[in-house]
Amino acid sequence: MADPQQLIEELTDKLNYHTRKYYIDDAPEISDFEFDAMLAELESLESRYPQYKKPNSPTMRVGGEAVSSFPKVEHAVAMQSLQKAFSKEEIIDFDRRVRETVENPKYVVEQKIDGLSVSVEYENGEFVRGSTRGNGIVGEDVSENIKTIRSIPLKLKDKIPYLEVRGEVFLSRSNFNKINDYLEATEQPLFANPRNAAAGSLRQLDPKIASKRGLDIFVFNIQQVQGVEITNHLDGLKFLQEQGFKTILDDKAYSSVNDAFDRIMQIGEERDSLYFDIDGAVIKVNDFAQRRMLGVTEKFPKWAIAYKYPAEKQTTKIRDIKIQIGRTGVLTPLAILDTVRIAGSNVSKATLHNYDYIREKDIRIGDTVVVEKAGDIIPAVVEVLFEDRSGNEKEFVMPKHCPECGATVTREDGEAAYRCTGVNCPAQRLRNIIHFVSRTAMDIEGLGPSIIEQMLEREMISSAADLYYIHAEEIADMDKMGEKSANNLINALEKSKTNPLYRLINALGIRHVGEKAAKVLAGRYKTLDNLRKADAEELTQINDIGAVMAESVVGFFKEPQNIAFIERLEAAGVNCIDESEPVKENENFARKTFVLTGTLSKYTRQEASALIEERGGKTSSSVSKKTSYVLAGEEAGSKLEKAQKLGITVISEDEFETMLN
């Protein structure tokens, strides 16, 4: 074998070169497969010879160990915010103030990235720390997460004694959509916009999660530098590019504020064609000596200002209202419009949010309306021009059946959302299958979202039941599979057929029925067929089954496509019978509610919960007056404090074991 140290150095240099070509120069020279193969080889070598691992190794990009909190960082150079302008007059007034202090200023104009501002520091050309802006004076050390951003160099071109740069961490629109698609499919809260998603990703305590989010960065300012003399902003950006940073370099300085404002307007026209979000444009004095003369206020530099683009509104007509089905089954009404140009793009559809919104604003088919598109938010109907009504407008009524699959549409009391109840609804397939195979449901190892997506794209499956009819050779050639992985997946599917009934009930995705309720229903009815025959009145007689859940269960089993889905599972040999022993109630646990808090040394939370439920008790995630006991491990926090305030009995693990025995 060749010298491992030399091999590690060569692979590190090659991978860092190709990382720059892909993420910074946008000119890849090798395929993703070749890159991944080299990276895997480097990871293998580093695991065998950790003493030769380089500080700038690309394997650092995948994230290190999770942290419990972020240390505070005091910024030597304050990370100030910018004063804002909303009109040309305010920009001209800014120019007047500048010229009162300096002569013949030249301005640079940049896109204002809608992300999260960070500081990145280097010593002798090597990355040493990355931190958030925080309040501008004190931020948080997020170095491990910053290192996962592939457009951040871990080693500069030159051995600069010290360099601190400021940049904006952001998510591309495509990555933002992928993240929200996954969150929606797995029933997690969605990010409101790319900026929130970037901020949430950068502050993940586990850097491996941050690594998967696909964060990016544009560096736009030199905060501090030693060993290099730079006199203006444009030269500074060129220097940063040479060192390996990704910048937005608009290589022009404007002597006239009117020319600078024209560029601001041009950026506004371009923003819809960008792959990232901007929330304005920034105009800055180019010369650093002039910046020092102008100085700063407590909050803002006097040499820069941000122009914020106004939300654009246009008038158009609603030709129809269609229904869009989300991946969680929610029906969203969508206005079909006469095409109108807003914020640089043609708009022919606009969200109407929900049926209550339509009723509140009295929106009708045929109405003339005002449509708004603020930045890159989905266009929305914000106003009806009632004076333009002719009397021929039609009121919109929500459908009783899903337009995608024909299943019954339901709306629960107190909710704005209407939902499709079909388990095979095309719009919900990905989300339903991801839930079906998840750890608390059928627990099918090796069947992640990317594999499911490939199966759906290839039309190998149309529902979770189809999983039990695929063969290893059909999936062996998919990305991230291979013959061994394909066989392992088939074995995992076979194993899942023998799961206890409660897992299948949970996997069906019946609204309001989670793992605990599934266990209760399986224990009570013993077969899926018995549960299908139960009525709402009967179900509500069971402890922990309320009226809303009961109606949801009954409604689910009335839907023909859901029955067909279950029959296909039964035909595949999936267990539909509960063979567990009846619960042997223990007087210490029967009909009592336990809350677990802190770190337990002898059991996992799941193990302790199972022991409680086996003896007739139940667990809850929150402390209330109905709580019987709080089982407190080490570092118990607010739940323990609340229990003490309410006078609820707190037990240790030793006391818990005594109760068990």
Side-chain angles (χ1 to χ4, degrees):
M1 177 182 174
D3 178 10
Q5 183 176 5
Q6 184 181 347
L7 272 176
I8 286 173
E9 287 179 359
E10 287 176 358
L11 282 168
T12 298
D13 290 342
K14 280 183 183 178
L15 285 162
N16 283 333
Y17 169 80
H18 289 298
T19 295
R20 177 181 175 117
K21 296 302 291 182
Y22 187 95
Y23 290 98
I24 298 174
D25 297 342
D26 197 23
E29 295 179 356
I30 61 174
S31 68
D32 290 351
F33 179 82
E34 290 172 291
F35 185 94
D36 291 341
M38 275 199 287
L39 186 63
E41 184 182 357
L42 179 59
E43 286 177 327
S44 175
L45 284 167
E46 287 178 345
S47 67
R48 282 181 285 164
Y49 307 101
Q51 68 272 29
Y52 299 138
K53 183 173 180 177
K54 308 290 286 181
N56 64 326
S57 170
T59 59
M60 306 285 280
R61 307 289 193 183
V62 300
E65 294 300 313
V67 298
S68 58
S69 63
F70 297 116
K72 300 298 181 186
V73 175
E74 189 167 341
H75 300 302
V77 176
M79 297 178 70
Q80 294 184 304
S81 55
L82 293 170
Q83 53 187 317
K84 296 177 179 63
F86 299 91
S87 67
K88 184 175 181 179
E89 288 72 26
E90 290 173 280
I91 296 296
I92 291 172
D93 191 49
F94 163 74
D95 175 60
R96 178 189 56 77
R97 295 194 303 271
V98 168
R99 291 179 188 276
E100 286 174 354
T101 304
V102 302
E103 293 182 0
N104 302 318
K106 288 188 176 181
Y107 297 112
V108 288
V109 180
E110 297 172 345
Q111 298 153 340
K112 187 175 183 295
I113 311 301
D114 193 12
L116 185 74
S117 202
V118 298
S119 158
V120 188
E121 298 170 76
Y122 296 81
E123 291 179 1
N124 297 317
E126 294 193 353
F127 175 97
V128 292
R129 184 165 66 179
S131 55
T132 62
R133 175 180 178 272
N135 62 8
I137 304 299
V138 178
E140 294 176 314
D141 188 330
V142 289
S143 298
E144 291 303 312
N145 290 346
I146 289 283
K147 283 192 287 189
T148 69
I149 302 174
R150 296 182 184 272
S151 46
I152 277 282
L154 299 179
K155 184 176 182 180
L156 304 181
K157 175 176 170 286
D158 300 320
K159 281 195 171 183
I160 299 159
Y162 179 76
L163 174 68
E164 180 187 4
V165 298
R166 180 172 175 177
E168 199 80 2
V169 173
F170 68 95
L171 268 174
S172 68
R173 291 171 184 168
S174 60
N175 278 348
F176 169 71
N177 290 332
K178 286 178 185 176
I179 291 167
N180 263 357
D181 282 349
Y182 176 76
L183 293 175
E184 187 176 27
T186 52
E187 295 187 300
Q188 298 180 62
L190 305 186
F191 286 116
N193 51 53
R195 186 193 183 284
N196 286 357
S201 302
L202 193 64
R203 298 191 72 257
Q204 284 286 339
L205 294 175
D206 186 351
K208 289 184 175 64
I209 297 175
S211 175
K212 293 176 182 177
R213 294 281 172 84
L215 293 169
D216 207 339
I217 187 171
F218 281 116
V219 172
F220 60 83
N221 202 55
I222 296 173
Q223 298 292 89
Q224 301 181 78
V225 64
Q226 296 174 7
V228 179
E229 189 67 33
I230 299 170
T231 61
N232 64 69
H233 185 70
L234 289 181
D235 287 348
L237 290 183
K238 290 174 185 174
F239 163 76
L240 291 175
Q241 281 191 337
E242 291 167 1
Q243 296 304 317
F245 292 100
K246 185 174 181 176
T247 69
I248 299 178
L249 181 56
D250 190 1
D251 193 8
K252 190 169 183 180
Y254 302 90
S255 301
S256 162
V257 72
N258 287 316
D259 290 344
F261 188 76
D262 287 345
R263 176 57 185 146
I264 289 173
M265 291 296 98
Q266 187 181 12
I267 289 173
E269 290 296 318
E270 296 168 349
R271 58 180 171 162
D272 286 294
S273 63
L274 302 173
Y275 69 91
F276 50 87
D277 280 359
I278 63 173
D279 58 355
V282 181
I283 180 170
K284 305 175 181 177
V285 172
N286 185 42
D287 187 81
F288 288 169
Q290 290 184 337
R291 288 187 183 185
R292 288 191 290 271
M293 291 172 66
L294 287 160
V296 299
T297 68
E298 186 178 342
K299 293 183 179 179
F300 312 117
K302 294 181 181 180
W303 43 263
I305 193 168
Y307 180 85
K308 304 286 282 186
Y309 297 112
E312 190 173 338
K313 298 179 181 179
Q314 292 288 354
T315 300
T316 187
K317 183 163 282 195
I318 296 179
R319 291 300 176 190
D320 201 357
I321 296 177
K322 300 289 187 183
I323 290 296
Q324 193 172 44
I325 314 297
R327 290 194 177 185
T328 56
V330 173
L331 279 66
T332 301
L334 203 65
I336 308 302
L337 310 169
D338 281 346
T339 302
V340 63
R341 193 161 182 81
I342 308 177
S345 62
N346 291 328
V347 172
S348 58
K349 297 176 183 177
T351 182
L352 295 169
H353 303 295
N354 53 54
Y355 190 53
D356 288 347
Y357 186 83
I358 293 174
R359 296 288 297 273
E360 177 190 331
K361 291 193 174 292
D362 190 20
I363 298 170
R364 302 181 186 184
I365 298 169
D367 269 336
T368 300
V369 294
V370 175
V371 179
E372 178 180 279
K373 187 183 183 190
D376 296 294
I377 299 170
I378 298 169
V381 173
V382 295
E383 183 183 354
V384 176
L385 300 180
F386 296 108
E387 64 272 20
D388 290 347
R389 277 189 174 168
S390 65
N392 295 321
E393 293 77 17
K394 296 179 183 178
E395 290 189 18
F396 172 76
V397 178
M398 288 293 284
K400 293 182 179 179
H401 294 91
C402 172
E404 287 278 353
C405 70
T408 304
V409 169
T410 63
R411 184 191 193 189
E412 294 173 4
D413 291 342
E415 278 202 356
Y418 285 75
R419 295 177 184 273
C420 167
T421 58
V423 73
N424 279 344
C425 181
Q428 301 178 70
R429 278 177 186 153
L430 178 62
R431 171 261 177 191
N432 288 344
I433 298 171
I434 288 173
H435 171 72
F436 186 91
V437 307
S438 64
R439 186 175 56 83
T440 58
M442 294 302 277
D443 192 22
I444 302 173
E445 191 175 345
L447 196 50
S450 64
I451 301 297
I452 296 169
E453 283 184 294
Q454 288 184 71
M455 290 179 173
L456 289 169
E457 286 169 4
R458 296 185 181 201
E459 298 183 350
M460 294 168 58
I461 59 172
S462 61
S463 75
D466 295 338
L467 292 169
Y468 293 101
Y469 294 86
I470 60 175
H471 303 285
E473 57 269 20
E474 294 178 83
I475 56 176
D477 66 335
M478 294 197 312
D479 290 347
K480 301 180 181 178
M481 286 300 288
E483 188 176 334
K484 183 178 179 182
S485 296
N487 286 322
N488 288 342
L489 177 53
I490 297 301
N491 291 336
L493 284 161
E494 283 298 314
K495 180 183 175 184
S496 74
K497 290 180 181 180
T498 63
N499 278 340
L501 175 60
Y502 82 85
R503 283 192 172 275
L504 176 58
I505 295 173
N506 186 27
L508 293 176
I510 305 170
R511 188 156 166 75
H512 302 299
V513 176
E515 187 178 11
K516 288 183 180 180
K519 286 181 178 179
V520 171
L521 293 171
R524 168 66 175 80
Y525 287 99
K526 291 300 182 183
T527 72
L528 198 58
D529 192 52
N530 288 339
L531 178 58
R532 282 167 54 178
K533 295 172 184 175
D535 59 33
E537 184 179 353
E538 179 185 322
L539 285 163
T540 54
Q541 302 305 309
I542 304 170
N543 283 340
D544 301 322
I545 307 296
V548 172
M549 189 188 297
E551 290 293 344
S552 184
V553 171
V554 172
F556 180 88
F557 288 114
K558 280 183 179 177
E559 188 56 51
Q561 66 174 267
N562 297 348
I563 298 301
F565 174 75
I566 290 166
E567 288 173 349
R568 188 156 169 76
L569 289 172
E570 290 175 332
V574 175
N575 174 52
C576 296
I577 299 172
D578 179 35
E579 297 177 342
S580 64
E581 292 293 323
V583 171
K584 296 179 180 178
E585 291 191 349
N586 176 314
E587 63 180 10
N588 291 329
F589 295 88
R591 293 170 295 284
K592 293 184 173 65
T593 301
F594 289 71
V595 172
L596 282 58
T597 184
T599 304
L600 303 177
S601 60
K602 300 178 182 178
Y603 309 95
T604 64
R605 292 270 185 101
Q606 197 170 6
E607 289 168 347
S609 296
L611 290 169
I612 291 165
E613 290 167 8
E614 286 169 6
R615 289 157 175 76
K618 65 178 184 178
T619 58
S620 174
S621 60
S622 59
V623 177
S624 69
K625 291 180 180 179
K626 294 182 179 180
T627 304
S628 309
Y629 297 100
V630 169
L631 172 55
E634 293 181 12
E635 298 181 10
S638 59
K639 292 179 184 178
L640 175 59
E641 293 173 7
K642 187 172 182 181
Q644 291 168 338
K645 286 180 182 177
L646 293 175
I648 292 164
T649 304
V650 178
I651 58 173
S652 65
E653 278 193 83
D654 289 340
E655 290 170 313
F656 178 63
E657 288 202 314
T658 300
M659 292 172 68
L660 290 173
N661 297 324

